[in-house]
Amino acid sequence: MKKFILFYVGLFLLLGCEKKDCCTNLEPITVTLQFTHNWDGIPINSSDFNTFKFTTEHGEQISIERLRYLVSRIKIGDFEKNYQLINIGENTGLELVLAQIPQGNQFLKFTFGFTDADNIDGIYPDLNSTSFNVPMMMGGGYHFMQFDGKYKDSNNQNANFNYHAIRAVNASNPMNLILEDTSFEVEIGTFELSKNTAIEIKMNVAEWFKNPNLWDLNVLNTVLMPNFDAQKMMSENGRNVFDVGTISN
Amino acid sequence: MLKKLLFTISLFLFINCSSKEEELYLPITYNLEIPSLFSQKLIAPVIPANNPLTQEGVALGKKLFFEKLLSGDNSQSCASCHNPQNAFSDTNQFSNGIDGKKGIRNAMPLFNLAWNFDELFNWDGSEFSLENQAFEPIRNPIEMHATWKNVAKKLQNHPEYPTLFKLAFGTSTIDSVLITKAIAQFERTLISGNSKFDRFLRGETSLTPEEENGFNVFIDEAKGDCFHCHGSNNNPLWTDNQFHNNGLDTNISDLGLGAKTGDPADNGKFKSPSIRNLAFTAPYMHDGRFATLEEVINHYSEGLKPSITIDPLMKKVQQGGVQLTSKEKADLKAFLLTLSDFEFINNPDFRNR
């Protein structure tokens, strides 16, 4: 009896191995995404926060005080990670390790924010626990980005801005919210993966204020969540913020 | 061969067990009763692996929390400043220590502490973990002003404590580490999750139109915009447990988080308190400067003071705030009071018997 079992176990293991070996003999690899941030090429780290260090395309000096954003459906080949919250001030989420990625040519893309299908109110405990929600009166779901800081206004006084990206909402009739999915897909490109690889994904924060919509913080500074047009503009500007950086093995 | 192996293994297990058995240390696991909204909406509470909750540990921690022997002259316990009737806070602006000395901070209420995921305690986040926090008040000269050596000795000579420590931790040798562990276990059981608003969210009751409107002021980015820091229906802690300068002063005397980190960008930042149980926790803010909720709301509405480190979420600072109408203010207050948890403050499990 025991011998039988042993035999079957052995057979099974043997077959198991054979299957793996049959075609290419390629071990899966690990891909590490490294999210880095810059202002037109000047690196931004948490140590660059809280000082008037950067100037927007429109000409306002700004100080970054809080910057966290969400990317979702991070896809490399057939592999998909549901979402990742990146918080620059707290240095969390800056690295995403994707293990067991098959070798070969793989396409990398992700969504900035949540698509409507995923943007469901209150269902992600980790995001609730870190207060990333959007109240129901503004359509519910989650922030895509919470970017808070100060700018020098036209009188050179400090003023606050809350550049919060969410699903666009027109709440002028609270009984009938008009919603528009303003998340967008970011295609990073195809990578030939043959060993463990780190891929840098760069966000140029200056782009949020640049192109195609030149952003005037004197006009658009706070209470942007319920501002439908501002959300559309953020979404348009966001298309240019991500870029691939260094690839290293 | 196989049989021999099995025999040896079981012998080994057996020996292992029996050597532990001599201690007769079998505390019973304490099951935290987590409110349904918490388990649905939040990640798991923080229970350190080296201090799991046990019934014996929690019971001991409770006894210690109300124990005046923990102070230098046996006149004060933790509960002297953290009174269950006040959601484990007190009614003074600054609490009196045993020598009648006052600090510069308002006693904090204690509830839902296991959900402080970053485990930074005190107004300025100066203590990491509840175990470490509990070390401090006992030796603080303006609080219980004792020495740990004396406290451990007093408890060691007490007729009951050595047995209670033996039951909870398997040793009757009492020291500061076990005392703080037991207190922390008790503190983690202080859960407040059954206010009127919780019952509303569970579909068990309804809000008045004023309360409902007040909630809308709370979550409206153009009005209160309180939810970015003080939680919401999706974050039933009603705090982010993060540090912010909410615009109390232009000239900052108590540096708060800044004194701890040494970073001037943190000056004037304090931990957002939960807005649960405000009915029982007056006065308000880190220095207890506001006696009433009206004063708090007026502060956010038109009393904001500019400073370098004021949080960007504070709007229209140059005008003092967003200028809520008197109706909006009254409704906001009515909403805030729906977060009062009477069951929590009257819970016999949390009272000294």
Side-chain angles (χ1 to χ4, degrees), chain A residues 5-24:
Chain A
I5 295 187
L6 268 178
F7 175 74
Y8 278 114
V9 169
L11 195 71
F12 182 76
L13 285 174
L14 201 70
L15 287 177
C17 293
E18 245 171 44
K19 232 182 217 158
K20 209 165 159 193
D21 286 349
C22 79
C23 323
T24 44

Side-chain angles (χ1 to χ4, degrees), chain B residues 226-255:
Chain B
C226 317
F227 72 93
H228 278 111
C229 302
H230 284 293
S232 69
N233 52 313
N234 281 317
N235 182 338
L237 303 174
W238 298 95
T239 171
D240 61 0
N241 279 313
Q242 300 292 311
F243 299 86
H244 308 272
N245 171 349
N246 66 342
L248 293 173
D249 296 300
T250 293
N251 298 313
I252 291 158
S253 50
D254 185 346
L255 299 184

Side-chain angles (χ1 to χ4, degrees), chain B residues 205-226:
Chain B
T205 188
S206 51
L207 300 180
T208 67
E210 290 76 24
E211 291 163 349
E212 203 170 318
N213 186 45
F215 177 62
N216 287 337
V217 173
F218 186 87
I219 57 173
D220 188 336
E221 209 197 9
K223 293 185 176 154
D225 191 15
C226 317

Side-chain angles (χ1 to χ4, degrees), chain B residues 233-304:
Chain B
N233 52 313
N234 281 317
N235 182 338
L237 303 174
W238 298 95
T239 171
D240 61 0
N241 279 313
Q242 300 292 311
F243 299 86
H244 308 272
N245 171 349
N246 66 342
L248 293 173
D249 296 300
T250 293
N251 298 313
I252 291 158
S253 50
D254 185 346
L255 299 184
L257 182 67
K260 183 201 151 201
T261 62
D263 182 351
D266 290 333
N267 287 354
K269 292 189 183 172
F270 293 89
K271 189 165 62 183
S272 319
S274 173
I275 49 155
R276 278 184 185 276
N277 296 318
L278 294 170
F280 321 118
T281 62
Y284 306 106
M285 304 296 165
H286 70 272
D287 53 5
R289 69 175 63 192
F290 297 135
T292 64
L293 285 178
E294 281 80 0
E295 288 174 62
V296 172
I297 292 169
N298 287 343
H299 160 71
Y300 283 113
S301 172
E302 58 259 344
L304 298 178

